[in-house]
Amino acid sequence: MEQDVESPAIVRQPKLPKQAREDLPKQLAETDRAKKVQRYVQKDGKCNVHHGNVRETYRYLTDIFTTLVDLKWRFNLFIFVLVYTVTWLFFGFMWWLIAYLRGDLDHIADGHWTPCVNNLNGFVSAFLFSIETETTIGYGYRVITDKCPEGIVLLLVQSVLGSIVNAFMVGCMFVKISQPKKRAETLVFSTNAVISMRDGRLCLMFRVGDLRNSHIVEASIRAKLIKSKQTKEGEFIPLNQTDINVGYNTGDDRLFLVSPLIICHEINQNSPFWEISQAHLAKEELEIVVILEGMVEATGMTCQARSSYISSEIKWGYRFTPVLTLEDGFYEVDYNSFHDIYETNTPTCSAKELADMTNRARLPLTWSLASKLSQQGLPESEQEGQESKTSPDDEGKSQQTERNGDIANLESESKV
């Protein structure tokens, strides 16, 4: 009995049904997915937008060159090989058909017969001759004769079409290879954006840098706020885009990107963050898309790099760690500290509330001095009488004396 009393009671959890056990991980995954913020632009710059229900697909064929360039590499290489193979097979069949219709295949061993193409004895040899003709290899074993006018016409057609195919496909591959998308991989953005005080005002800041020694020419930066809104009329606008001024008026948006730069957006009355405080920012569902554009110095092609910051990646009350140091005869950039930030004293209120508090702190001194001067001033009738009796010089002296007396009275009252 004592052992039964002292032994701890084991409470067994009821065993869930099989269906409930299988649905539980799905429910947890759906909950985590709901908490995850959906990005409009990924951190690596890819736009998270898929086009569906596009019925006018013929528009892609009207610009077939751009369509081929935009394809993935595996599809691009497949089409490249397919186009050349189909062209060679088609003209090889045409050469074989001419030889078949003329009877060249029946007089292969006849030395007195002049064929359209020498040493063409079947479809394989016709296919090889087609490759030699289109690629201008010219081994010299198979050659067209002057007794075959239809062969001469086919030779001209294949030469012209072969040049067009070469120009189109080689041009497509060249543009595909020289695309500046990979150049954007060496343009880096800071992991987080920060909000802190700069020159007495709240500012939103992020950092950009270029890892290559070849610079981006005519680099410029711009930013967009992506946030859904509802108009006064009740219209809901999903993913509304609002410009964020990062120095367009002053020219600070045009960058000399030799070393990492901190891009600053002053939060003023024209800023979309004017009424957003630290507590409000944590609850906001917004995204800041930053776009860096410029020309690649080596190729002259336009390059664009993108990134984004959601509300959880905007750190309030932080600054970026300096990365530029002066060494012996040169400046060195430490990219290990490129994404590092440190905490600093920053008001948690919004920029609007901060401006109101600053104005209230300045107004009492001005109002007290102006009100006391107006209360102790002379009546208008007495001032007009004195003005009529005194000369202009005496008028100035008397007004100066009265003002000095007023100020002296104010100082004596303040001491009392």
Side-chain angles (χ1 to χ4, degrees):
M1 295 294 294
E2 294 179 356
Q3 293 179 356
D4 295 339
V5 173
E6 293 177 358
S7 62
I10 300 175
V11 180
R12 296 183 178 179
Q13 297 292 337
K15 187 176 181 180
L16 296 175
K18 182 179 180 180
Q19 185 65 27
R21 293 197 306 269
E22 293 177 354
D23 293 341
L24 184 60
K26 296 180 181 179
Q27 294 175 359
L28 295 176
E30 291 177 358
T31 304
D32 295 339
R33 196 181 301 110
K35 293 181 180 179
K36 185 179 180 181
V37 178
Q38 188 67 42
R39 286 182 178 272
Y40 188 64
V41 176
Q42 301 290 347
K43 293 294 288 185
D44 57 359
K46 295 181 180 178
C47 298
N48 194 20
V49 178
H50 299 274
H51 300 283
N53 299 325
V54 180
R55 298 180 179 179
E56 299 177 351
T57 55
Y58 67 90
R59 296 182 181 271
Y60 294 104
L61 298 178
T62 56
D63 189 11
I64 187 65
F65 186 83
T66 305
T67 302
L68 292 176
V69 172
D70 291 340
L71 289 177
K72 295 182 179 180
W73 268 108
R74 54 180 178 269
F75 298 116
N76 204 299
L77 291 174
F78 174 75
I79 294 176
F80 184 84
V81 175
L82 181 64
V83 168
Y84 276 107
T85 304
V86 169
T87 306
W88 295 335
L89 287 173
F90 172 76
F91 283 103
F93 173 77
M94 295 300 296
W95 287 114
W96 174 85
L97 183 63
I98 291 176
Y100 176 79
L101 294 177
R102 293 183 77 255
D104 294 343
L105 301 180
D106 299 330
H107 301 81
I108 296 177
D110 189 358
H112 301 285
W113 182 264
T114 304
C116 183
V117 178
N118 290 330
N119 301 314
L120 194 151
N121 52 16
F123 180 76
V124 176
S125 59
F127 176 69
L128 294 176
F129 180 72
S130 174
I131 296 176
E132 295 176 18
T133 302
E134 189 165 336
T135 57
T136 64
I137 294 176
Y139 290 116
Y141 182 70
R142 298 178 184 87
V143 59
I144 189 172
T145 61
D146 56 355
K147 303 298 183 180
C148 182
E150 61 271 19
I152 296 174
V153 174
L154 182 60
L155 179 64
L156 294 175
V157 173
Q158 185 175 5
S159 300
V160 174
L161 290 181
S163 300
I164 295 175
V165 171
N166 288 333
F168 187 84
M169 298 308 300
V170 173
C172 178
M173 294 298 294
F174 176 77
V175 174
K176 184 74 174 177
I177 294 173
S178 61
Q179 272 187 322
K181 291 183 179 180
K182 296 302 180 182
R183 179 62 178 90
E185 297 293 334
T186 53
L187 298 174
V188 292
F189 297 86
S190 58
T191 305
N192 299 303
V194 299
I195 294 179
S196 61
M197 299 295 294
R198 175 177 279 192
D199 295 331
R201 299 187 180 185
L202 276 177
C203 294
L204 170 70
M205 293 170 284
F206 58 92
R207 184 149 59 186
V208 297
D210 188 4
L211 301 180
R212 287 188 179 273
N213 292 327
S214 58
H215 309 305
I216 295 294
V217 182
E218 296 292 334
S220 61
I221 189 76
R222 52 195 176 98
K224 293 278 189 179
L225 175 64
I226 309 298
K227 181 182 177 183
S228 300
K229 62 174 289 188
Q230 188 171 5
T231 62
K232 297 179 181 179
E233 295 79 12
E235 179 187 3
F236 179 74
I237 304 177
L239 302 177
N240 182 60
Q241 299 184 12
T242 305
D243 282 330
I244 299 177
N245 189 0
V246 289
Y248 177 78
N249 299 330
T250 59
D252 293 336
D253 61 329
R254 293 184 288 274
L255 309 179
F256 182 53
L257 197 59
V258 178
S259 61
L261 299 176
I262 297 177
I263 310 302
C264 178
H265 163 65
E266 181 183 333
I267 303 178
N268 51 26
Q269 295 179 355
N270 299 323
S271 172
F273 300 94
W274 175 243
E275 299 181 356
I276 295 181
S277 62
Q278 182 179 6
H280 191 193
L281 179 63
K283 302 177 183 179
E284 282 287 335
E285 294 183 1
L286 55 85
E287 183 177 355
I288 300 175
V289 178
V290 292
I291 304 169
L292 177 62
E293 293 179 328
M295 290 188 298
V296 182
E297 187 178 27
T299 62
M301 302 182 69
T302 303
C303 172
Q304 184 182 92
R306 297 181 294 265
S307 186
S308 68
Y309 303 98
I310 58 178
S311 56
S312 60
E313 295 172 346
I314 303 175
K315 304 300 181 181
W316 192 291
Y318 286 85
R319 289 178 183 167
F320 286 105
T321 303
V323 295
L324 194 63
T325 57
L326 178 61
E327 300 296 334
D328 187 12
F330 62 92
Y331 293 96
E332 183 177 1
V333 178
D334 181 17
Y335 278 99
N336 290 329
S337 304
F338 181 83
H339 303 283
D340 294 346
I341 56 177
Y342 65 93
E343 195 170 0
T344 182
N345 293 328
T346 304
T348 58
C349 61
S350 64
K352 180 180 179 181
E353 295 172 349
L354 182 62
D356 292 341
M357 288 188 293
T358 305
N359 293 333
R360 284 197 299 267
R362 295 176 179 175
L363 285 177
L365 296 175
T366 308
W367 282 355
S368 61
L369 181 60
S371 60
K372 289 183 179 180
L373 286 175
S374 62
Q375 291 176 1
Q376 296 178 5
L378 294 176
E380 295 181 358
S381 60
E382 297 180 4
Q383 292 179 2
E384 291 177 357
Q386 291 181 2
E387 290 175 359
S388 60
K389 295 178 181 179
T390 57
S391 62
D393 295 337
D394 296 338
E395 178 183 356
K397 293 180 181 179
S398 62
Q399 290 180 357
Q400 182 67 28
T401 304
E402 291 175 359
R403 181 58 56 84
N404 293 336
D406 293 338
I407 296 174
N409 293 335
L410 288 175
E411 293 177 351
S412 61
E413 289 180 2
S414 62
K415 292 179 180 180
V416 174

